[in-house]
């Protein structure tokens, strides 16, 4: 994972992925609590997710946003798409991301779409298999994006030229 520390001058946009309501039955009646999963990103390759739990929805969203800003990674986005295809899983959720040509758009559902758009990916084909739980889908998608490497990074890690990476 390419962890990133940000300054306050970077503008992060938050997206609410899902809100879950839980009920606890006590002697005095029912107590509701809310869990909100939030994705933040600058739409330029920096992305993070957070989970907030509270007695009110707005407080849970704020806690999730604060947690997401502490959990940021850098994703290589090349001309609005991904550098290569990637498969990842988290829990029962499995995701497959594939780069697409310009004009394709974000072909992804629900939780994956929020993550990819927050990262600044404009053209991608994505498929989720297994669990459709938004918590695990967000984590699996961010795991897949965290494993992405562009050609310059690969060349630097191997200590070879960029043409050697492509041509062998």
């Amino acid at each position: 994972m390419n962890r990133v520390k940000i300054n306050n001058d970077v503008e992060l946009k938050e997206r609410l992925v899902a809100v879950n309501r839980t009920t606890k039955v006590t002697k005095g009646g029912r107590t509701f609590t809310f869990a909100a999963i939030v994705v933040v990103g600058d739409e330029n390759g920096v992305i993070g997710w957070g989970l907030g739990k509270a007695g009110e929805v707005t407080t849970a969203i704020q806690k999730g946003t604060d947690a997401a800003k502490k959990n940021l990674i850098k994703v290589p986005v090349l001309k609005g798409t991904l550098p290569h295809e990637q498969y990842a899983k988290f829990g029962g959720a499995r995701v497959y991301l594939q780069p697409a040509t310009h004009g394709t758009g974000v072909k992804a559902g629900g939780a994956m779409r929020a993550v990819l758009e927050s990262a600044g990916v404009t053209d991608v084909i994505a498929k989720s298999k297994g669990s459709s739980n938004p918590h695990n889908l967000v984590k699996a998608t961010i795991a897949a994006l965290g494993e992405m490497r562009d050609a310059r990074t690969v060349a630097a890690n191997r200590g070879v030229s960029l043409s050697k990476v492509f041509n062998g």
Side-chain angles (χ1 to χ4, degrees):
M1 290 276 184
N2 308 322
R3 292 242 178 249
V4 173
K5 292 277 188 194
I6 59 146
N7 300 331
N8 291 336
D9 59 344
V10 177
E11 184 64 35
L12 294 174
K13 295 181 179 151
E14 61 181 73
R15 286 179 188 258
L16 179 64
V17 177
V19 177
N20 188 29
R21 187 184 79 173
T22 59
T23 308
K24 178 181 177 184
V25 179
T26 59
K27 183 172 64 175
R30 295 187 181 101
T31 306
F32 298 114
T33 55
F34 299 92
I37 187 158
V38 179
V39 174
V40 298
D42 67 349
E43 297 180 354
N44 198 17
V46 175
I47 188 156
W49 70 275
L51 178 64
K53 296 180 178 181
E56 296 179 10
V57 177
T58 54
T59 313
I61 293 170
Q62 185 58 46
K63 284 184 179 181
T65 304
D66 294 342
K69 289 179 181 177
K70 296 175 187 172
N71 187 20
L72 296 172
I73 63 167
K74 180 81 174 127
V75 178
V77 178
L78 306 173
K79 297 179 184 173
T81 191
L82 304 173
H84 55 85
E85 56 187 39
Q86 188 67 46
Y87 174 84
K89 62 188 237 176
F90 188 94
R94 291 183 284 286
V95 298
Y96 174 73
L97 304 175
Q98 181 178 329
T101 58
H102 179 70
T104 304
V106 179
K107 304 274 190 193
M112 291 177 70
R113 175 179 290 274
V115 174
L116 293 167
E117 287 176 349
S118 294
V121 179
T122 56
D123 300 300
V124 67
I125 297 170
K127 180 67 184 166
S128 64
K129 296 181 179 178
S131 174
S132 60
N133 179 354
H135 293 259
N136 287 345
L137 271 179
V138 166
K139 293 173 190 175
T141 307
I142 289 182
L145 291 173
E147 293 171 10
M148 294 272 176
R149 298 187 306 164
D150 61 344
R152 285 196 176 94
T153 307
V154 173
N157 288 348
R158 294 180 187 172
V160 296
S161 67
L162 209 56
S163 63
K164 183 94 170 161
V165 171
F166 288 114
N167 302 325

